Amino acid sequence: MNIVNLDQISFKPLLPEVKAAMIDAINKDYFNPSSQHKRGEQAAEVLDAARRSVAGMINAAVPKEIVFTAGGTESVNHAIKGVAMANAEKGKHIVISNIEHNAVIRSVRRLKSMGFRVTSVSVDEQGRVNPQDVAEAITDETILVSIMHSNNETGTIQPIEEIGKITRDKKIIFHTDAVDSVGVVPIDVQKLGVDLLSFAANTFHGPPGVGGLYIRRGTRIYPLLDGGVQEHNKRAGTENLIGIIGMGAAAQVASSELDQWVAHCLRLKTKLLAELPDAIEEYIINTHPQHSLPNMVSISVQYIEGESVMLMLDDDDIAVSTRSACATGSLRASHVLISLGLSHADAQGTLVVSFGKDTTDEDITRFLASLKEVVITLRDISPLYNKVARSPA
Amino acid sequence: MYNKVVMDHFRNPRNVGVIEDADGVGEVGNPLCGDMMTIYLRIDENRIADIKFQTFGCGSAIAVSSMLTEIAQGKSLEEAKKITNKDVAKALEGLPKNKLHCSNLGADALQMAIKNYEDRLAGIEPPETVREEPHEHSHGDKCYCPYCDIELDDDVIFCDACQSSLEEEH
């Protein structure tokens, strides 16, 4: 039986167009795009073409505003540390939210040890930042606001446009980690009013290990990597041309097919949420009912633990991801779920079900059937289910 | 991630359930890590005549509980008192290092169940809640960072390798 991939936030297969473009690039033996001879210029041209595709996808004013990186994590690190280093003389205060990805949290933690101060705003019980809280957190010392576009654990989308208005008004650099959004929902950097936006190719069926950072013209930022003059002096190092070509091809397909992908995923998400009550009882949906990505749902199944669920679903050839502390390697309950107000026990039972353009109705049906059995098995073992749920009121 | 023995006990856990009117009950749990175990004992002539468990936890926590019940089944109380978490991990042919901290609580639950039985015999009222959150390093001689698996000195509060604060763990 085929593996049902409902863990597409972790892995999406390369598009056929991406594979073809990358294989073609390998066979063409492109030279170094920095070289000034004819073969180098050829390589520079395909690099520019990829940059144009990616810039078009997020509506950057000019392709130069895209810096290719080695993935979402590098983009985020570049945005935060680069802005902090370049603007430290103006101030040393940064505003983030409580539910940021660790790329953001650990970047600012590093900066804290270098004398920066960080204010982390909380989210409401539906997982959204209140733009007013961001406005109030900003001080005369603030040099950067970094709020994610969508959350990687819940899919909940943040009010970036409203925050962008505030940061523009106060002339503060605004970064959004849009790694889980770009290529999943339409993203327009002009509409969002951001100065920096991080994204990754593997979110839209491009190769892993390639990403981009949108840097609005005029934004004061230092490179993260110093060296040569590649990427318009913003990211030193010989370009990963084959990967970038793959990302360009993925961006092109995503730009033209995104509406269909969104509609397809939304239909599956609706089906999943509608049929879930027939499969299991006593669960919490952590994904915002309106403001959320179409391709994922976070479900906390009460009284059982997520890693066990994940392993048992895996025995049925269904791949999902879990936010249980036990499975994340950190052994600590997800800071995102705790920020939503979940108890540690409920956070432990959290599954992230994520799908894509090739996911079928049958996949969702198979998942629900398997989940139903797994939940029964694990609740039979669980002391919490007996105690909490079954004790007479 | 887990070896075959662990996966076998996870997939086919032995001795799952509740013993009604058990002679001894032991509960351990650490809701912060997420694993909670309850051990039920029926004692007959100072021997464990029956043992059952319930566990809320990850794959290793369920496997640990199952293996513990197999080890303890039929043992005299004197023998059972000698069972340690380390013995259980060894019988499972090893657990991931970062799971030794929070998942390997089976023997603790067993010891509490035995104590609960002996307290009852001695007429000592069990406390309202028997759940405790043991935080000692009961897995043996070495201590590992729960976040990055690096071996640590026993008393550090910060992992130099991964920059994690360990204050909550110690």
Side-chain angles (χ1 to χ4, degrees), chain A residues 308 315 330 332 348 386-387, chain B residues 11 27 33 54 57 147:
Chain A
S308 298
D315 280 346
S330 75
R332 202 171 271 185
Q348 287 291 58
N386 282 354
K387 260 202 184 141
Chain B
R11 288 189 178 118
E27 286 184 305
C33 271
Q54 285 190 306
Y147 307 106

Side-chain angles (χ1 to χ4, degrees), chain A residues 47-48 51 62-68 215 223 228-236 239:
Chain A
L47 176 63
D48 280 348
R51 201 184 307 280
V62 287
K64 252 178 89 165
E65 292 178 320
I66 303 297
V67 173
F68 288 117
I215 304 179
V229 297
Q230 291 89 351
E231 297 298 294
H232 307 101
N233 261 321
K234 292 200 165 63
R235 202 268 190 184
E239 301 85 350

